[in-house]
Amino acid sequence: MMWFQISLLALIAISALGVVQTRSVTSQVLALSFYGLLLAVMFFVFQAPDVALSQITVGAVALPLMVMLAQANMKHRGRRRDEKKKT
Amino acid sequence: MNSKWRTIVFFIAAAGFSCLYFLGVKNLPPWGHYRGPYGDLISAVGVYERHATDAVNAIDYDYRGFDTLGEEFILFTSVLGVMLLLREMKRPPKTSPPDKGLSDAVKASAGAGFAALVIFGIYMTTHGQLTPGGGFQGGVIVASASMLVYIAENFPVYKQITSHPLVEILESLGAGFYVIIGLVPLVLATPFLTNWMPLGKTGNVFSSGTIAAISASVGLEVAAGFLLLGYTYLEEIISDTGEESRE
């Protein structure tokens, strides 16, 4: 049992490094979502199911969604600015 | 500062932080050996006092209900702030983006997923006092179901479903009910947020008095709040004229 928890914590550390090392924003959001899901599993394993549910909804769904929407917004604005420069 | 110096500075900082981290973690009790009095007290007393089998929700919506009221209004004001910043400026009637023409299979499975998510969210909201979950988690699940509508259909359909004024009213109602439920005990000459509703039978959906009621109102507030957030962001992205009016 203890080995499972240790390997889970190690996996979380590795995936946190993966989030930081990812350069493309879209891939980074997906990595962040995966990292949030792993954190939820960790909370569940350490016997905090309520916190795990909050972590799934906020860390794995709401936060990546907001970042994705913000990124789509910025891309859209950038494209429109380019079009304006051309005309 | 070149990259060599940056690495050196990083390692100095990392060494310092790991020392602090080690000092902070060193004296923590081992896993499963809880030392504080409150957790044991509430898990021993909670079911008898409040008829709620999920101690976390009993704490959230009753024992420290005043803190949760503040937290709920943090969400309320942040949704308000987003809507204020991204509010609709004067803009000419916009052309709706073309229908993406997704296949019927995608639309049908998105519909099924939508129904399942909404039901699961409502279940989570109404069973918070019995099992892990509660109003906050349930509300986010219900709101995330609306994203499936946007994926399967186009934006006008999404806009129709999250029809603006009604969602705003629901959000305010959700936030207001919490305060009203908390204010009723003042009329009965008891402290704010006293559990005044009938406690019911332990294990039933309609049990635990105000815990279930507050959980439902928080669920309403959170679901409507996240619907508004998603709607406001998408509106900002999709409308083609938002930028011109601001520049």
Side-chain angles (χ1 to χ4, degrees):
Chain A
M1 190 63 186
M2 211 55 215
W3 283 109
F4 177 65
Q5 284 141 5
I6 290 169
S7 50
L8 183 66
L9 288 174
L11 191 63
I12 288 170
I14 293 167
S15 75
L17 199 66
V19 174
V20 179
Q21 289 291 324
T22 314
R23 282 296 156 219
S24 146
V25 179
T26 315
S27 330
Q28 194 172 32
V29 170
L30 289 178
L32 185 68
S33 178
F34 179 72
Y35 172 71
L37 214 59
L38 274 183
L39 277 188
V41 174
M42 183 200 76
F43 284 130
F44 187 72
V45 168
F46 285 96
Q47 300 182 356
D50 281 271
V51 189
L53 273 170
S54 307
Q55 174 59 33
I56 289 177
T57 50
V58 174
V61 179
L63 176 69
L65 187 71
M66 286 300 146
V67 178
M68 283 261 216
L69 286 174
Q71 197 217 353
N73 193 353
M74 287 190 318
K75 264 189 184 167
H76 195 71
R77 282 188 189 183
R79 206 178 304 139
R80 222 163 33 214
R81 204 160 292 144
D82 292 345
E83 279 166 16
K84 222 180 275 174
K85 269 178 200 163
K86 275 175 201 162
T87 51
Chain B
M1 187 186 280
N2 59 24
S3 76
K4 188 188 156 200
W5 275 103
R6 205 178 289 164
T7 320
I8 291 170
V9 169
F10 167 76
F11 275 112
I12 293 170
F17 271 117
S18 49
C19 278
L20 284 178
Y21 185 75
F22 181 74
L23 282 177
V25 168
K26 200 181 55 164
N27 285 329
L28 282 182
W31 180 52
H33 294 268
Y34 177 69
R35 283 181 192 164
Y38 299 110
D40 293 332
L41 199 68
I42 281 179
S43 53
V45 149
V47 177
Y48 303 103
E49 267 191 5
R50 298 291 192 266
H51 295 208
T53 49
D54 187 26
V56 176
N57 267 281
I59 294 168
D60 265 355
Y61 298 132
D62 193 320
Y63 290 109
R64 42 144 265 185
F66 191 65
D67 294 4
T68 313
L69 181 67
E71 285 168 11
E72 195 199 33
F73 273 87
I74 290 175
L75 181 72
F76 188 80
T77 39
S78 33
V79 172
L80 198 74
V82 168
M83 289 180 65
L84 196 68
L85 284 174
L86 303 180
R87 66 186 178 277
E88 282 183 65
M89 298 291 182
K90 185 168 60 89
R91 62 176 64 142
K94 54 179 170 291
T95 52
S96 61
D99 195 303
K100 274 168 279 167
L102 289 169
S103 69
D104 288 342
V106 174
K107 287 186 179 178
S109 51
F114 177 78
L117 271 179
V118 168
I119 290 170
F120 183 61
I122 292 172
Y123 161 80
M124 188 124 307
T125 308
T126 51
H127 289 66
Q129 71 278 22
L130 305 176
T131 49
F136 180 75
Q137 291 92 334
V140 179
I141 292 171
V142 170
S144 68
S146 73
M147 283 296 144
L148 280 178
V149 177
Y150 173 66
I151 291 169
E153 304 284 340
N154 46 14
F155 186 68
V157 179
Y158 175 78
K159 194 177 173 181
Q160 267 178 6
I161 288 179
T162 56
S163 86
H164 225 175
L166 184 68
V167 182
E168 274 175 40
I169 291 168
L170 282 180
E171 198 208 1
S172 316
L173 279 182
F177 275 140
Y178 197 147
V179 182
I180 291 169
I181 291 169
L183 281 176
V184 169
L186 293 184
V187 181
L188 309 170
T190 42
F192 185 60
L193 279 170
T194 307
N195 200 332
W196 55 276
M197 287 182 179
L199 288 175
K201 191 162 163 266
T202 307
N204 279 3
V205 177
F206 296 104
S207 64
S208 74
T210 54
I211 297 175
I214 289 175
S215 173
S217 79
V218 169
L220 194 66
E221 202 270 339
V222 171
F226 271 84
L227 274 182
L228 283 180
L229 272 187
Y231 171 81
T232 317
Y233 269 103
L234 279 174
E235 172 91 17
E236 172 78 5
I237 293 164
I238 284 167
S239 64
D240 279 322
T241 51
E243 188 70 9
E244 275 83 355
S245 56
R246 204 165 302 164
E247 275 173 356

